[in-house]
Amino acid sequence: MQKFLLMLVVVFGLASIAQAQNSGSPAPEPSATAPVQPIAFNHKLHIQTAKMACNNCHEPRGDGSTLALPQAGKCMSCHTSVATDKPEIKRLAEAAKNEDPILWVRIYRVPSFVTFSHKTHSGNTCEECHGPVAERTTLAREKDTNMGSCIACHTAKGARTTCDTCHAIMSKNGHSPLEIDATVLAHLHIQARPSAPVSALNNGTRVGQLTSLASFLNAPML
């Protein structure tokens, strides 16, 4: 009996040590390959060392639904006196002087028939959708932003999951998303046809097409 109790103590002790080590370890690097950006921007350096927040660079645009990708002028508000001898900063200075745009490579993008607003998601953390950016020197896509993931998150948080929640474009113009995005049609091997109001489609056609779309987006049918 004493040997058995001793064994339990050892096992639980090792488990506790492993848990403590894991909790303090940095987030693993994403398996996806990070795209080459026009400027080698280090998120980890700017967040952990420079103590910058996401909205210092990604400011809201318009009504706040979208966030800006920073341009050279924004970067130079700090780098007129910081790391001015580095080659990347010299490139930024030249771009700012000539008013040349920085063509950042987007990591995340939602389909054209999805209505997404950063403003309505302001109660969430950036990490929930974009991963542990503060741990990354380069960024790659490491979070799923398909329909299934969005519905799962909305369900967990008690947010609305009706069609109009994310597909308001359908109710505004009366067209199915299948008739809006030609890229999705091509992926689904569905032949494009002239736009028609959703109400004009018979139920069998609508269900069949939406089932195909949900399968493509890795989402459960509602």
Side-chain angles (χ1 to χ4, degrees):
M1 184 66 178
Q2 290 180 341
K3 290 183 179 180
F4 177 73
L5 292 175
L6 179 60
M7 190 183 340
L8 284 178
V9 171
V10 172
V11 169
F12 281 111
L14 290 174
S16 300
I17 293 172
Q19 184 178 6
Q21 290 176 339
N22 290 335
S23 63
S25 60
E29 288 294 321
S31 57
T33 302
V36 178
Q37 298 288 356
I39 298 292
F41 183 87
N42 186 330
H43 278 82
K44 183 176 182 179
L45 175 67
H46 285 79
I47 296 173
Q48 293 192 12
T49 303
K51 306 302 181 184
M52 295 179 67
C54 299
N55 58 9
N56 290 145
C57 295
H58 300 288
E59 297 177 326
R61 295 192 300 184
D63 64 354
S65 296
T66 59
L67 301 180
L69 295 175
Q71 292 301 310
K74 180 70 175 178
C75 303
M76 293 309 296
S77 62
C78 291
H79 284 290
T80 51
S81 58
V82 176
T84 56
D85 59 327
K86 294 185 177 298
E88 294 293 275
I89 306 305
K90 291 180 179 179
R91 291 177 57 202
L92 280 172
E94 188 67 17
K97 177 182 177 181
N98 299 327
E99 297 185 352
D100 294 332
I102 302 175
L103 303 179
W104 299 106
V105 179
R106 290 181 66 96
I107 305 296
Y108 293 91
R109 186 186 299 275
V110 296
S112 62
F113 54 81
V114 174
T115 304
F116 179 85
S117 170
H118 278 88
K119 183 178 182 179
T120 58
H121 290 79
S122 59
N124 300 336
T125 64
C126 301
E127 291 78 11
E128 288 183 69
C129 293
H130 296 278
V133 174
E135 300 290 338
R136 305 295 187 234
T137 55
T138 58
L139 297 188
R141 182 172 179 173
E142 52 185 301
K143 287 281 187 175
D144 287 329
T145 54
N146 54 33
M147 184 175 174
S149 298
C150 293
I151 291 177
C153 184
H154 276 226
T155 301
K157 292 177 179 291
R160 295 174 67 241
T161 56
T162 58
C163 295
D164 280 358
T165 303
C166 300
H167 301 289
I169 189 172
M170 293 173 64
S171 60
K172 289 179 180 178
N173 62 21
H175 294 292
S176 162
L178 290 169
E179 297 164 343
I180 297 172
D181 198 299
T183 303
V184 173
L185 286 174
H187 279 299
L188 294 174
H189 305 292
I190 298 175
Q191 185 175 0
R193 55 191 174 81
S195 296
V198 173
S199 58
L201 300 176
N202 63 62
N203 288 337
T205 301
R206 290 173 61 188
V207 171
Q209 290 188 342
L210 291 175
T211 300
S212 298
L213 178 60
S215 176
F216 170 71
L217 295 176
N218 188 27
M221 286 297 293
L222 295 179

